[in-house]
Amino acid sequence: MGAAENLPHAIPQGAIQALLRTISLPEATSIISAKVTAQYHSIYFIALPPTTRTHNHSDLVLRVSGRHLPTIKTSNELGVMSWVARNTTIPIPDLVASDSSEKNPIGHEYTLMSRIKGATLSDIYESLDDDQVDRLMDQLVGFLLQLHSHPWSGIGGLALDDREEAVLARVVDETFWQVPDIEKYWHGGETTDSLNIAGPYATYVDFIAAQVRQYIHLIKIHDALEFMRDSLPRLEAFVDALPNRADELNKVSLRLTHKDLHLANILYDVDSGSITAILDWEFSGVVPFTNWNPRRSFLWNGRDDERSLSEKQRLGDIFARRCAALEVSLLDDASFASPLQEGMQMVADFLRAITEVSPRGQRQDLVLDWKTTVLDKIGLFGV
């Protein structure tokens, strides 16, 4: 996972000025390192004379990536943001320049975007009155409808092709094994490619089968997962059984989703009552619609305290009420088509949890119960 100690060291201002020159931008009049620490980026606020290259913006944000998921995370964000900008009215920053390699003057992957005015919603939402909150929720409903109304032919992230068109690409997810933890917990030359799924995948069944095959691989090679090895024959039989029920299991819409739409990723202008930007699209992707909110982060207030769960529920109730008032079935449409389909997803979810925590020595009081759940759900498929 991302962590501050894995972020880039401070980038010298001279290197940032050199980067601006290589992308034909004028010299910055101000470069300020952000005080806040992002999970996967170091952030710099840059002021410079506006040009057509900057979309006439004079204030930019340079996000310098850590080396958590080389290339694919930056590439995915560029693909998703390009698609969102061209196909929706969802407000996002204008992309000025980017590089998914480290072959540049700052020596890191980066994105350079316009700086959007507005307050971080997690900081100010409690000051909003009921009418403002309703209007805010209505805007979110409208944005989600735009994302979820577009059909896709497969599951994966997005990337720009040679014509700068966004196309389906490999899956990118925050739950992936990332470089810092691979170096700490894995041996034998494992990489982000060898420990994670790829894609894109044509169907829900293909997607789940790829995940389970990957978890089987992890179980075979990590000593901390030895307790799962007696289940390997059943796991392999489960994968083999999925195509036999494909017609039922693939009854799901495939939709582009943000996957991490909490209040800290939303900018809001109090004076106009408008959302001014949705941020941080790097782990977005096309998923089975049942997974549109995979980490249940939607409407989380961005705080780790005892009230955060109840606040998320309260805001979720307001969102559901606004959906009903607008006669929108966003939430109902995310339901599983059958108990068998839900069981298939649960197998993948609990295997992911087991193979994520056991190599780290975490949650050992729970993993045997999770194993029982996996085997119970596999039983639905007669294996």
Side-chain angles (χ1 to χ4, degrees):
M1 299 296 180
E5 62 267 24
N6 299 313
L7 293 174
H9 296 298
I11 306 297
Q13 291 201 6
I16 295 177
Q17 295 283 20
L19 174 66
L20 296 177
R21 288 193 296 271
T22 65
I23 55 178
S24 302
L25 291 181
E27 182 173 319
T29 57
S30 172
I31 300 174
I32 300 174
S33 176
K35 294 180 180 179
V36 296
T37 300
Q39 192 171 14
Y40 291 98
H41 303 88
S42 295
I43 299 174
Y44 297 84
F45 299 124
I46 297 176
L48 43 60
T51 69
T52 54
R53 180 69 189 272
T54 68
H55 304 274
N56 294 317
H57 295 289
S58 58
D59 294 310
L60 305 179
V61 177
L62 174 66
R63 301 199 314 164
V64 182
S65 295
R67 297 184 172 98
H68 304 82
L69 287 170
T71 302
I72 61 174
K73 183 170 65 65
T74 299
S75 177
N76 187 65
E77 183 167 35
L78 300 179
V80 171
M81 289 185 67
S82 176
W83 189 91
V84 170
R86 295 178 184 181
N87 294 278
T88 77
T89 61
I90 298 171
I92 60 174
D94 288 321
L95 180 64
V96 175
S98 64
D99 192 347
S100 58
S101 78
E102 297 183 346
K103 298 177 181 179
N104 55 63
I106 62 174
H108 289 274
E109 300 176 39
Y110 74 88
T111 53
L112 184 63
M113 306 178 187
S114 60
R115 186 176 182 183
I116 305 297
K117 294 181 179 179
T120 302
L121 189 57
S122 56
D123 294 338
I124 56 94
Y125 81 97
E126 290 176 309
S127 67
L128 305 180
D129 61 34
D130 291 345
D131 288 340
Q132 288 174 309
V133 171
D134 282 352
R135 181 177 176 185
L136 166 68
M137 293 298 179
D138 290 354
Q139 291 173 69
L140 285 175
V141 168
F143 297 157
L144 290 176
L145 282 175
Q146 290 185 65
L147 285 181
H148 298 166
S149 64
H150 183 85
W152 292 85
S153 60
I155 297 166
L158 298 182
L160 296 178
D161 64 12
D162 293 340
R163 299 174 299 169
E164 296 295 305
E165 295 290 335
V167 296
L168 279 169
R170 67 169 296 163
V171 176
V172 183
D173 198 84
E174 193 171 3
T175 63
F176 274 7
W177 280 100
Q178 301 175 20
V179 169
D181 280 348
I182 293 173
E183 293 173 347
K184 186 173 183 180
Y185 298 108
W186 294 85
H187 305 287
E190 300 295 339
T191 66
T192 55
D193 286 335
S194 68
L195 295 181
N196 299 306
I197 61 172
Y201 302 100
T203 68
Y204 199 0
V205 163
D206 291 342
F207 178 52
I208 294 294
Q211 289 179 292
V212 176
R213 288 191 189 100
Q214 189 65 39
Y215 302 143
I216 288 172
H217 171 66
L218 302 188
I219 290 166
K220 288 179 177 179
I221 66 175
H222 201 290
D223 290 344
L225 293 165
E226 184 178 6
F227 74 97
M228 289 294 299
R229 290 176 187 164
D230 61 346
S231 303
L232 289 178
R234 291 189 65 191
L235 291 175
E236 290 166 347
F238 167 74
V239 172
D240 291 340
L242 291 179
N244 300 328
R245 308 294 291 272
D247 288 346
E248 177 181 356
L249 296 173
N250 286 331
K251 289 181 179 178
V252 65
S253 299
L254 307 181
R255 298 292 185 257
L256 179 64
T257 182
H258 187 287
K259 293 199 289 189
D260 198 25
L261 193 53
H262 54 73
L263 302 191
N265 279 336
I266 302 173
L267 297 184
Y268 179 83
D269 179 61
V270 176
D271 292 335
S272 66
S274 297
I275 293 173
T276 56
I278 304 293
L279 306 176
D280 291 355
W281 294 83
E282 63 259 52
F283 292 110
S284 303
V286 180
V287 300
F289 197 36
T290 49
N291 293 350
W292 81 273
N293 185 26
R295 284 171 282 285
R296 301 295 186 265
S297 59
F298 181 56
L299 297 179
W300 172 49
N301 63 5
R303 304 173 193 175
D304 293 315
D305 57 39
E306 60 184 17
R307 291 183 58 237
S308 63
L309 184 59
S310 61
E311 269 296 275
K312 185 171 68 171
Q313 181 62 55
R314 183 181 73 85
L315 294 171
D317 290 343
I318 296 172
F319 182 82
R321 175 170 57 80
R322 295 310 303 162
C323 284
L326 297 168
E327 299 183 347
V328 169
S329 59
L330 265 174
L331 303 180
D332 294 339
D333 290 348
S335 301
F336 287 100
S338 69
L340 194 70
Q341 189 186 70
E342 183 175 18
M344 176 182 72
Q345 182 63 57
M346 290 180 69
V347 170
D349 288 345
F350 279 90
L351 279 175
R352 181 198 58 77
I354 291 168
T355 57
E356 180 180 300
V357 304
S358 292
R360 295 179 170 93
Q362 301 169 339
R363 312 304 294 273
Q364 296 305 287
D365 56 326
L366 296 176
V367 292
L368 290 179
D369 288 340
W370 295 348
K371 177 181 178 181
T372 298
T373 299
V374 168
L375 297 178
D376 178 59
K377 297 305 176 184
I378 284 176
L380 296 175
F381 293 82
V383 299

